Amino acid sequence: MASTELTSAIGPLPDAWRVHVDAALIALDKPAGLLSVPGRGPDKADCLSARAQRRWPDALVVHRLDQATSGLLLLARGAAVQRALSLAFAERRLHKRYEAIVHGLLPPADTADGWGQIQLPLRLDWPRRPRSIVDAEHGKPSRTRWRVLRQDPASATTRLELEPITGRSHQLRVHLQAIGHPIVGDALYGPADGAPRLLLHAHTLALAHPVSGQPLVLSRAPPF
């Protein structure tokens, strides 16, 4: 496909997706179903990063969300800020919170602050990639914090807030499946439930601004 055809395949970037824009960084609310970065092949050229770069040519990817996941995605403006934000992710100075609706009535954690933890090592399941699996022998240490926001006995589901302490591929999805509460709408790890999408949304990013150093908290409520 010619470059002009690739460009025309890139969709629009609605103003409603803009959460924060300044001279150093951009935060966008990615919809479910849209890739974060280009995939293999011309049919996967359309993605959030390509749409952002058409409007802000200096926008560079810092992290990703699964195609099926919605929510906040951060882009750096320029290589220096990209390095600073990537380091903040690596050193866990950039904090992410998600909301999800899971199958089953998960009781609140029996802790003083209401937060529970899942600590199960994960690795890529190469024969069935992009799936990941729990592997006690070869997996990388992985930790997820969770707390119950609300139970819905009528639908036998629970709304959770989630905080990934580590950032493994599909970590939240695999950890919740492993404890018997897969996310509603998860075509890879959950039952066929007829949900129109994966009910997982990255709702908050908290960090020190890479230029000013001031605290920056960005949020966008889940659409479910």
Side-chain angles (χ1 to χ4, degrees):
M1 182 180 290
S3 59
T4 54
E5 293 178 59
L6 281 173
T7 301
S8 65
I10 306 301
L13 184 69
D15 286 341
W17 297 2
R18 296 173 59 169
V19 177
H20 178 91
V21 179
D22 65 29
L25 56 85
I26 300 159
L28 301 173
D29 185 11
K30 186 186 84 68
L34 181 66
L35 290 166
S36 294
V37 298
R40 292 184 178 178
D43 60 320
K44 295 180 177 63
D46 188 23
C47 61
L48 192 66
S49 62
R51 296 189 189 197
Q53 286 162 358
R54 192 161 63 176
R55 181 172 294 189
W56 301 285
D58 59 350
L60 297 172
V61 173
V62 176
H63 66 118
R64 305 178 186 185
L65 293 175
D66 293 344
Q67 183 176 8
T69 303
S70 61
L72 295 178
L73 192 75
L74 201 60
L75 297 108
R77 303 193 70 175
V81 175
Q82 184 189 43
R83 286 191 295 271
L85 291 175
S86 295
L87 184 61
F89 267 106
E91 295 180 347
R92 299 174 189 169
R93 291 182 283 107
L94 198 157
H95 305 286
K96 297 184 289 184
R97 292 278 179 92
Y98 292 71
E99 278 192 31
I101 297 179
V102 302
H103 288 282
L105 299 178
L106 178 59
D110 186 18
T111 59
D113 61 2
W115 284 89
Q117 290 195 66
I118 305 168
Q119 297 191 72
L120 294 169
L122 302 177
R123 69 166 176 83
L124 191 63
D125 185 4
W126 281 102
R128 298 189 296 166
R129 57 187 183 276
R131 293 173 58 100
S132 291
I133 57 172
V134 175
D135 186 331
E137 183 177 359
H138 302 292
K140 294 180 179 180
S142 307
R143 184 158 65 105
T144 297
R145 298 178 72 232
W146 61 272
R147 70 183 180 100
V148 171
L149 297 176
R150 185 168 65 253
Q151 292 180 329
D152 184 356
S155 63
T157 60
T158 305
R159 183 179 288 267
L160 299 177
E161 184 167 29
L162 303 165
E163 182 181 14
I165 304 303
T166 51
R168 312 303 179 201
S169 177
H170 294 181
Q171 176 177 311
L172 301 178
R173 300 164 69 177
V174 180
H175 272 175
L176 289 166
Q177 177 210 36
I179 65 168
H181 294 277
I183 300 174
V184 174
D186 195 336
L188 281 180
Y189 302 102
D193 53 27
R197 55 154 295 182
L198 175 71
L199 298 188
L200 177 64
H201 178 83
H203 71 81
T204 298
L205 286 170
L207 64 151
H209 191 280
V211 174
S212 70
Q214 294 300 306
L216 179 63
V217 179
L218 306 168
S219 62
R220 182 61 64 94
F224 52 80

